[in-house]
Amino acid sequence: MNQPAISELSEKNPFSYESLLSTRATLTPSAVCWAATSQLYVGCVEGYLLVVDIENLSVSVLFNPAADDAILELKNFYFQALTLSSNGLIAVGKEGVVHCLQIRRTQTSITQTWQLDRPVSAAMVSPDNGTLLLSANTGQIYLLNPGNSDQIEKVLDVLSGSFLTAALLHTDKNICVSLREGGVLELWSSNGSSLGSLPLQTEVTSLACCPIAHYAAVGTASGKVLFIDLNSETQLRLVHEVYLYHSAVAHLVFDQEGHYLLCSGSDLHLYVLDARPSTMFSVIGFIDVPDCVLSLSTQCLSSSEKVNVLVLCASQEDEKNDGSLLMVFSLPLKNIAGPDCVDRNGCLYIVEVFRYIVPIPLTSCALGVNEVFAYCHRQKTLQRFQLPKGTGGLSSQQVVQLNLKEEVKGHLLGPVSLLLSPDCMWLASIGRDGSLRIRSTSSVEDYCELWCHSCCLGGIRTVSFSQDGQTLVTTGFKDGSLLCINFRAVDAYDKKGKRFSQYRQAMSMETAFNSENPILITLPEWDQETPVSCKKTEETEVSSATSIDVTEQDESYLPIASSPTWFESRQEEIVKEDNKQYTETKKNLRETIKELRETIQKMLRENESLPEEQFNLNVEEQKRLDTMVEQEAERVRAEIEQEIIEKCYLRDVMKRERWDSMMIKPRTIRAFHSEMAVKNYPLKERTEKELEEIRRVHNMRKIEKAACKLRDLKKNSSEQEEEQDEEGHEAENTALNGSISAQLGYTSPCIYNQFSLQTVEQRINQIILFQDLIYSIKMAFNSDFEALLKRKLQELKRLQDRNKNIREVMQKLNVKQTLWEPSLTDNEWPERVLIVDDSEIKAEKYLTPEQREQEERERLEKESRLTAQSDDSRERALDDMMEGVLEVKKIDILKVEIPPPEFVVTKADIQWSEEEKKTYKEYEKNVKDLNEEKEKYKRGLEIEIKKLQESIKDATEKFDESLTKLFEKKLTSTLAIYQEELKITYLADSVHTVDEMNNQEQDLKLKLEQLLANKMKTEKDLMRYEDEVEQFQYLYENVVADDKLLDNEFRKGFADQPKHVTDQLYKLFKRRPRVQRLRAQTEHASNLFKQHGPNSFQAPDGLSQMLTAMAEMDAPENMPKGLSPFIWEKFCVVRKAKVESEHRMKMKALNLAEMQAFLHRRSDEDNACLEEIELHFEALQSLRSKRNQHLMNTTVQVVLPQGQVETSTADWTAETAETDFIVLHKSVIDNLKDNIRRLAEQNIASMEARREVRKDIIQLEWEHRVMNKKIEDLNDKKKDMKMLRLSKEDMKCLGKKDQNAYMLEKIIMLEKSIAFMKQTHKRSIHQRMKKLKRINKKMAKIEQSTADFEKELPYLQVTVSELRHIYEAADTEENEAKEREERYQEIIHRRDLADLARAQSEELDILWNEVERLERRNFPSLDQMKYN
């Protein structure tokens, strides 16, 4: 209660609250319930129990935990729930304690106490106040009967809460280990069934499964790491725990081979634990990190015998969930726990520690092979970083900037987590958008996306890979679902090359599992009271001493000072050791320092006297290092050679499967002057089995045809008719064959007619023949393809020769021009892809010294050979003899130049003599002739170039025309192949349908046999039951006859008595006492038809009650007056016999009725069985007829020209989908159209004639109708005038003598009211104008906001559509179910409204009729007024 509430109550009640609540300023109510006196019991968090009087508004304290006489059990009690029962007030505490409180006035006492195994959140009492129901938030429900027993019964134990995380156990069964938020660890099978569970009774944070033993490590919020044995699926055990942090454990990660377990929390220590059960999961040490760890990833390299660890740390500049500092270090696989690697405090000495920084902070990362995959939430991108190789000279404190290598788009909603598969081939990413993306590490751009969980419920929380990387398991944030995904890679590398890289790792892990898992099974279950052996290691002692019982923890548990962490325990041990050694060290410290000083001085003096050679480098150490380097190089070289061998093996396998197995390789021919390309049909060589099957079918068809010919020879009369039919229908053969293969010349005489396929064997043989026909079509086309390909090769060779000539001519003309030189592409020459040229290799080739020497010798030999060829004396002698004009006599004419005379250069024109002038004229003439000859030669060369180019163009164009024809042939061949394949599809579907019908027939036969056997059994039982019913009915008739005999013999027995006495006795004989009637006891069906003999009957309780009542009636007091006691006793005996007979008859009648009802039910069951047999028999007959009809009505493929088929334009609904059509000739359709057109013209002419006549008839009818309507209107006006109703004002107006004055007065009043209405209207208009201005201002603001919203609308629409797509993809089934339910409720609501409206309309009609009746009765008409 707060202070204002207390002060308000204190004003009405003088009770002082400050005196009672002096220890607490305020109270916090936590539980409330009603008392039997309409009061409220209120329990508080502080332990107070109050009672509130609602009527007087007063509060009384029933229990004060601060009082001196307070109950000890309730002093620290937390009231979780209160409820009132017949035994007292039930109070439930947060610690799982339940008290039954007895309240007497202001005194409170505990009468009963129960202890539960977990905290309870709610309590409720049954309506009869006898049973108490308790429920816990973790899914448990308990029943308690406080009055009868103290035993608590657990009614329901359902695991509840969302999944916190899940991981796949490293077994062949794909067992999943999940962890719920309530602290429950569960095992799931691959089919989704729960195998076992273990409640940890603590708040958990993380989970990891060991790959070398069947156990799981669980991190808790209290800083502990729990180790759970999972070998027994039905009995999970806690075998060990380690206390590491005072805060929650954030990350738990095993390396891929299970050597180490890495653990991180909120402090700056990253612990490394030995994952082997043989070492009792000892803590090896810790590594200091600069800030809190955001992500943790490992990479185990068995070849290098070390484990690489990647840590993403946050820095001071980063936000809460982002980090830009990456820390990479390596852990050796051996000798890590020794004193050389771990100091006294437990800190690990790690030599290789590298620090990297990224430009933009990251949220998650994963370590690959020499690369890092990370996710940036700010940019919503997935990034790849390459780790630098040359990091040998870096110090541990030096930070290197990582450059981004690749970046792709990420998830829609973040933050996003990354996980790398154990084989480092696949990268999985999850986000809050609910999608799981799986990428190949070789190419992160392409990914496979799965929508696993709804983004509305938080998306995906965690993801885990199996050991083989082919199974994933995901958990959602709030949807409480666990999803298992089977992922199969289809590339060849995943199938074949993967076993080379994982064989060694699998063998080592199997060896470790065989040695470690038996040790895990033998470990005892962990207990706080387990004695600690003095012979254990130091780590085991510390971990066992610091562990506590998990079951005793709750949500508010905090480690106390008596439970130190591993680091604190290590510090305490160091302090103890130092304290033990401190005394001796203090005594000997000065002496030791003095001895050391003297020793150092002595060493210095000795070093001065020694020679300098003693201080040189150690040669042996240098040799050892060189040897080690050579060994490492040999190892790397062996790895590279192994990788090359693997790739060669993979290439050979792919080549053998995809290339060598093909009889006809896939090729393409491309045109020279267009983009047209024609491909051939790749074919594999047919197996011997296929050829044998084809030969078998051909032989069978030959035999069938021979038999048909012999049968046709006997029918001589029908042969001529068949020949005439064949001549008349030659044009229709192509259409009826169902394909154009016959037109192309590809046909087989063995192929069946489409209309003669009546059996399944014929259809299977037809499929084989069609496949053989398709093969022959492809082979025929491939032969033409090969011929054209050879022609192209010849054309290319000719083109190269002509280009060579053109190039020589262009060289003579000194013309530089690029020539068109086509070549074969890779599709035309696919063998070239399988051959690697030296020019394609970009990397430098590595050569050994021997190879370099060999290459140098070959180069020198080649140079000497070329030098010898260039120095050919024979050719030089021939050239000298012919003066160099052997081949350039006519080719060098363009280079020939006539030198001018010498005097042209030495003398001027005036100084020339006549002879020199003549010589100069001859020189000019010769030059002119030479130039003319050069021009003539040039023109000849140009003409030659044009001819060569035209010949190239003509040849290539002709080839393109041939390729076009081949392309057309390819189209027709493909069409024919598709038509044959369509036939094969129809036939295969028909065969499959017949097989299904045969299977259905076998099932029906089996069911029919079972029903017939059951029918025979029921018939036998029914006959036996009928006999038993007849026997029992005979017994019942005897009992009825005996009863009637007793009734008839009564008067004979008392015939000697007077008549009135006899009548009175007969009335008493018929009288029966009133006793409680017993219900008929129905016996079991198996007991109805037992033998009921007369001696086997026993009177039930009803007979005994009747006899007891009859004994009271037989008392002498009830004897009639005047009757002797002897007669009365005789009468009582007879009446008793009569009562027993009646009771016996009733019991027999009840048994007979039950037996007859049972017999009737068995008869009905027999009839139902007979009907079911008839139904099955009818179904079997129907199935056989359907199968026969299916075999007779074969699907026929018909080829018809385009535009020659006409069908109905009606909708193709389910009713018309199987309508039969008739194929007719086009001439029949044309004649039918002409007849329709002629009849339509005649019909139109007759219709026009009828229209004119009908127009006049309609006009007369319209005029007649108008006159009738006028008559009806006049009659209605007449009735209205007769039934005119007059108001009081009308009566008053009629009663006035001066009508004008009355009308004038009325006009004045109306004018006043009109003036007042105008004034009011003006005022309202003024107000409306003001309101309109305000609305306009508001509209302007709304328009402005609408414009802003329209700008944002496209982005919002994109977001909404994405979310709708995500929601619809995740919750399609739930939405459909919800929509169906809403539509169903809407239909029901509409139906109810329609019924209600119909009922109300009927009621209104009745009321209106009643109103009209009353009005006619109350208001007089004009005729009545006039009469009166």
Side-chain angles (χ1 to χ4, degrees), residues 676 822 924 1033 1061 1327 1342 1395:
M676 184 176 63
E924 288 181 348
Q1033 188 171 6
V1061 175
Q1327 293 177 357
I1342 292 173
D1395 296 341

Side-chain angles (χ1 to χ4, degrees), residues 578-592:
D578 292 338
N579 289 334
K580 290 180 182 179
Q581 299 175 0
Y582 183 74
T583 305
E584 297 178 358
T585 306
K586 188 175 181 179
K587 291 179 181 179
N588 299 325
L589 184 60
R590 290 186 179 92
E591 297 178 0
T592 305

Side-chain angles (χ1 to χ4, degrees), residues 771-942:
Q771 291 175 351
D772 183 44
L773 180 61
I774 292 171
Y775 190 84
S776 62
I777 293 173
K778 291 182 178 180
M779 287 296 294
F781 177 80
N782 287 337
S783 62
D784 298 339
F785 182 88
E786 292 294 334
L788 191 63
L789 181 61
K790 292 179 181 179
R791 180 181 170 186
K792 184 173 183 179
L793 294 175
Q794 294 175 0
E795 292 294 337
L796 286 175
K797 187 175 181 181
R798 294 193 192 100
L799 190 144
Q800 291 175 0
D801 295 340
R802 290 168 183 169
N803 282 338
K804 183 179 180 181
N805 296 334
I806 292 173
R807 198 174 289 109
E808 292 176 356
V809 174
M810 291 172 63
Q811 186 177 3
K812 294 177 183 177
L813 295 175
N814 197 13
V815 176
K816 295 181 179 181
Q817 184 180 356
T818 304
L819 297 178
W820 177 57
E821 295 182 358
S823 61
L824 294 177
T825 61
D826 292 339
N827 293 331
E828 295 175 307
W829 188 11
E831 292 86 354
R832 187 167 57 187
V833 180
L834 304 175
I835 301 172
V836 181
D837 295 332
D838 294 338
S839 61
E840 297 179 9
I841 302 174
K842 303 299 181 183
E844 184 179 358
K845 186 177 181 180
Y846 173 76
L847 298 175
T848 60
E850 294 80 4
Q851 291 176 346
R852 291 195 188 97
E853 294 177 0
Q854 181 68 21
E855 187 177 1
E856 185 67 22
R857 285 195 299 269
E858 291 178 356
R859 185 180 62 81
L860 293 175
E861 290 176 359
K862 184 178 180 180
E863 289 180 356
S864 62
R865 187 169 56 254
L866 293 175
T867 304
Q869 290 178 358
S870 59
D871 190 12
D872 194 349
S873 58
R874 183 175 180 276
E875 291 183 357
R876 285 190 288 106
L878 183 62
D879 189 38
D880 293 340
M881 181 180 65
M882 300 301 296
E883 294 182 355
V885 294
L886 184 61
E887 293 181 357
V888 296
K889 181 178 181 181
K890 198 170 184 180
I891 295 176
D892 291 338
I893 191 172
L894 297 176
K895 298 180 181 179
V896 175
E897 295 291 339
I898 299 176
E902 186 178 354
F903 59 87
V904 176
V905 182
T906 58
K907 295 182 181 179
D909 297 342
I910 303 173
Q911 298 177 359
W912 289 352
S913 62
E914 293 295 331
E915 186 178 354
E916 289 177 348
K917 289 180 180 179
K918 290 181 180 178
T919 303
Y920 184 73
K921 287 182 180 179
E922 289 178 359
Y923 165 73
E924 288 181 348
K925 182 179 179 182
N926 293 333
V927 169
K928 184 178 179 180
D929 294 338
L930 181 60
N931 290 335
E932 289 179 356
E933 189 176 355
K934 284 183 178 181
E935 290 296 329
K936 185 178 180 181
Y937 187 67
K938 282 183 179 181
R939 285 194 297 270
L941 293 178
E942 290 175 354

Side-chain angles (χ1 to χ4, degrees), residues 277-434:
S278 59
T279 61
M280 285 301 295
F281 316 104
S282 61
V283 181
I284 298 174
F286 65 89
I287 301 169
D288 290 327
V289 292
D291 207 330
C292 68
V293 178
L294 299 178
S295 181
L296 193 60
S297 179
T298 62
Q299 180 64 43
C300 183
L301 301 176
S302 58
S303 59
S304 60
E305 296 185 351
K306 62 182 180 179
V307 176
N308 295 332
V309 182
L310 172 65
V311 182
L312 174 62
C313 302
S315 59
Q316 297 179 357
E317 298 81 11
D318 298 331
E319 296 180 359
K320 182 177 180 181
N321 295 325
D322 292 340
S324 56
L325 180 62
L326 295 175
M327 191 169 135
V328 181
F329 58 90
S330 300
L331 298 174
L333 299 182
K334 299 179 181 178
N335 301 326
I336 190 175
D340 297 334
C341 297
V342 184
D343 62 2
R344 296 180 61 196
N345 296 323
C347 184
L348 290 171
Y349 295 123
I350 299 178
V351 179
E352 297 180 357
V353 179
F354 307 105
R355 299 173 185 266
Y356 305 98
I357 191 170
V358 293
I360 302 176
L362 308 173
T363 57
S364 180
C365 62
L367 179 61
V369 181
N370 295 327
E371 59 185 0
V372 175
F373 300 93
Y375 190 87
C376 179
H377 180 60
R378 296 184 182 180
Q379 296 184 351
K380 293 185 177 180
T381 56
L382 178 65
Q383 301 175 355
R384 184 207 292 260
F385 299 92
Q386 186 72 34
L387 294 177
K389 296 182 179 179
T391 55
L394 297 178
S395 64
S396 61
Q397 301 298 328
Q398 187 175 356
V399 180
V400 179
Q401 177 78 27
L402 282 181
N403 296 323
L404 184 63
K405 181 181 178 182
E406 190 175 4
E407 185 177 18
V408 295
K409 188 177 179 182
H411 291 254
L412 299 176
L413 300 177
V416 173
S417 299
L418 301 180
L419 182 65
L420 198 64
S421 63
D423 54 2
C424 299
M425 292 180 60
W426 308 104
L427 179 66
S429 62
I430 57 172
R432 294 295 181 89
D433 56 355

Side-chain angles (χ1 to χ4, degrees), residues 17-27 46 48 64-67:
Y17 293 94
E18 275 73 8
S19 63
L20 292 176
L21 307 179
S22 59
T23 59
R24 300 287 182 182
T26 58
L27 297 178
E46 293 79 8
Y48 287 85
N64 185 0

Side-chain angles (χ1 to χ4, degrees), residues 1117-1147:
E1117 294 83 5
N1118 299 326
M1119 182 176 63
K1121 295 179 180 180
L1123 190 65
S1124 63
F1126 175 75
I1127 299 300
W1128 176 252
E1129 291 177 358
K1130 180 180 178 182
F1131 169 76
C1132 292
V1133 172
V1134 173
R1135 185 169 61 180
K1136 183 178 180 181
K1138 174 64 175 178
V1139 169
E1140 292 177 353
S1141 177
E1142 288 179 352
H1143 188 270
R1144 192 181 304 110
M1145 182 178 65
K1146 289 180 181 178
M1147 296 303 295

